[in-house]
Amino acid sequence: EVQLVQSGAEVKKPGESLKISCKGSGYSFTNYWIAWVRQMPGKGLEWMGLIYPGDSNTRYSPSFQAQVTISVDRSISTAYLQWSSLKASDTAMYYCARPLLQGAGSYYNTWGQGTLVTVSS
Amino acid sequence: EIVMTQSPLSLPVTPGEPASISCRSSQSLLHSDGYNYLDWYLQKPGQSPQLLIYLASDRASGVPDRFSGSGSGTDFTLTISRVEAEDVGVYYCLQATQSPYTFGQGTKLEIK
């Protein structure tokens, strides 16, 4: 079974760093893009960017380019989303997602369960 | 960046009746390869989003055939032929023709 399992909820203070994870299983991890999507409380979905684990090719939305870093560790089939200095406005649910087809950048048919990040002083 | 505009934002529907959601893009989504890279997702309450339609009109595996997608260029529609209670949630379109990919604002479907 194809699965994406995300790390657990986090509570952080402004200015702290954070790295959340998304572990893929049941498929060839290096052959499918992994996307990250933000959902702020009570709001819609926002596409943040994606990474191709095979060569770490990464694309960011300009809205998130300077705010986060997307990375991958192929040896443990895990993608990451990290912040160097969190802000209260980073409070949100973050989802990772995998496309239906190899090489495709969208049609995300597999989603992680979401990681809730709360940033509060 | 391509802006995706959905309408309506709220959609009350009586069970058994049809429903349609519109998604319009600020630029054409018709790629040079002939495909419109337009997906539809449903996010049920408390759940992760799920893929309904991709390439504007291809139904994802396991999606009931009462869901259909149509459109090309800048105008797209998701149609539910007969709404059921389990269809409640927020529907989003996503364009993937041009990076950065962008979602519509979402349409909340509720049962009357």
Side-chain angles (χ1 to χ4, degrees):
Chain A
E1 180 193 5
V2 175
Q3 274 192 311
L4 295 175
V5 178
Q6 297 185 231
S7 49
E10 301 275 1
V11 179
K12 292 288 190 180
K13 289 181 167 42
E16 292 186 332
S17 62
L18 175 64
K19 193 173 190 178
I20 63 174
S21 66
C22 169
K23 183 174 176 60
S25 63
Y27 71 99
S28 178
F29 183 74
T30 54
N31 290 349
Y32 292 79
W33 292 86
I34 293 284
W36 286 96
V37 174
R38 183 176 79 173
Q39 187 167 40
M40 299 178 76
K43 302 299 184 182
L45 304 175
E46 299 174 271
W47 188 85
M48 301 176 71
L50 74 177
I51 188 165
Y52 189 72
D55 60 6
S56 296
N57 182 13
T58 308
R59 301 175 193 168
Y60 292 93
S61 167
S63 300
F64 295 95
Q65 173 91 45
Q67 315 306 319
V68 299
T69 300
I70 297 171
S71 61
V72 67
D73 185 338
R74 285 183 287 275
S75 68
I76 55 172
S77 300
T78 300
Y80 300 98
L81 180 65
Q82 70 180 87
W83 296 258
S84 59
S85 181
L86 287 160
K87 301 185 284 287
S89 57
D90 293 317
T91 295
M93 182 73 84
Y94 294 87
Y95 295 99
C96 61
R98 195 213 81 165
L100 172 66
L101 301 173
Q102 290 188 39
S106 69
Y107 11 117
Y108 307 124
N109 71 324
T110 302
W111 291 71
Q113 81 276 23
T115 295
L116 181 61
V117 174
T118 303
V119 184
S120 174
S121 54
Chain B
E1 172 172 317
I2 296 177
V3 177
M4 305 300 291
T5 303
Q6 290 184 227
S7 63
L9 299 184
S10 179
L11 184 57
V13 185
T14 300
E17 293 297 304
S20 289
I21 299 170
S22 169
C23 179
R24 290 194 167 136
S25 57
S26 60
Q27 300 173 40
S28 176
L29 301 186
L30 184 60
H31 194 274
S32 55
D33 63 9
Y35 291 103
N36 289 280
Y37 288 90
L38 189 286
D39 304 339
W40 288 98
Y41 297 88
L42 165 60
Q43 187 176 31
K44 295 183 178 181
Q47 296 186 17
S48 300
Q50 59 187 86
L51 177 66
L52 297 175
I53 302 288
Y54 61 100
L55 296 175
S57 60
D58 288 356
R59 197 179 307 114
S61 177
V63 174
D65 61 8
R66 63 179 182 275
F67 290 92
S68 63
S70 62
S72 182
T74 60
D75 289 334
F76 300 88
T77 302
L78 176 71
T79 301
I80 310 173
S81 59
R82 294 174 306 280
V83 170
E84 298 188 4
E86 66 182 24
D87 300 336
V88 297
V90 183
Y91 291 78
Y92 297 92
C93 57
L94 168 70
Q95 73 79 19
T97 292
Q98 181 184 112
S99 185
Y101 302 166
T102 43
F103 284 97
Q105 322 96 296
T107 295
K108 186 173 184 178
L109 186 147
E110 58 183 29
I111 298 296
K112 281 184 183 176

mmCIF file of all heavy atoms in Angstrom, chain B residues 48 58 93 101:
data_model
loop_
_atom_site.group_PDB
_atom_site.id
_atom_site.type_symbol
_atom_site.label_atom_id
_atom_site.label_comp_id
_atom_site.label_asym_id
_atom_site.label_seq_id
_atom_site.Cartn_x
_atom_site.Cartn_y
_atom_site.Cartn_z
ATOM 1 N N SER B 48 -7.644 14.786 5.105
ATOM 2 C CA SER B 48 -6.750 15.284 4.059
ATOM 3 C C SER B 48 -7.536 15.366 2.756
ATOM 4 O O SER B 48 -8.521 14.654 2.563
ATOM 5 C CB SER B 48 -5.578 14.319 3.874
ATOM 6 O OG SER B 48 -4.837 14.173 5.073
ATOM 7 N N ASP B 58 -10.416 13.514 -16.334
ATOM 8 C CA ASP B 58 -10.150 12.107 -16.004
ATOM 9 C C ASP B 58 -10.492 11.847 -14.546
ATOM 10 O O ASP B 58 -9.930 12.475 -13.651
ATOM 11 C CB ASP B 58 -8.701 11.745 -16.289
ATOM 12 C CG ASP B 58 -8.391 11.657 -17.774
ATOM 13 O OD1 ASP B 58 -9.336 11.802 -18.587
ATOM 14 O OD2 ASP B 58 -7.222 11.449 -18.125
ATOM 15 N N CYS B 93 -10.027 23.452 -6.968
ATOM 16 C CA CYS B 93 -9.338 23.179 -8.224
ATOM 17 C C CYS B 93 -7.864 23.552 -8.037
ATOM 18 O O CYS B 93 -7.526 24.373 -7.183
ATOM 19 C CB CYS B 93 -9.948 23.939 -9.394
ATOM 20 S SG CYS B 93 -10.029 25.741 -9.228
ATOM 21 N N TYR B 101 2.265 26.176 -9.028
ATOM 22 C CA TYR B 101 0.911 25.654 -9.102
ATOM 23 C C TYR B 101 0.044 26.442 -8.118
ATOM 24 O O TYR B 101 0.549 26.927 -7.086
ATOM 25 C CB TYR B 101 0.891 24.170 -8.737
ATOM 26 C CG TYR B 101 1.774 23.298 -9.591
ATOM 27 C CD1 TYR B 101 2.070 21.997 -9.191
ATOM 28 C CD2 TYR B 101 2.305 23.736 -10.800
ATOM 29 C CE1 TYR B 101 2.879 21.162 -9.958
ATOM 30 C CE2 TYR B 101 3.121 22.922 -11.571
ATOM 31 C CZ TYR B 101 3.405 21.643 -11.152
ATOM 32 O OH TYR B 101 4.214 20.835 -11.905
#
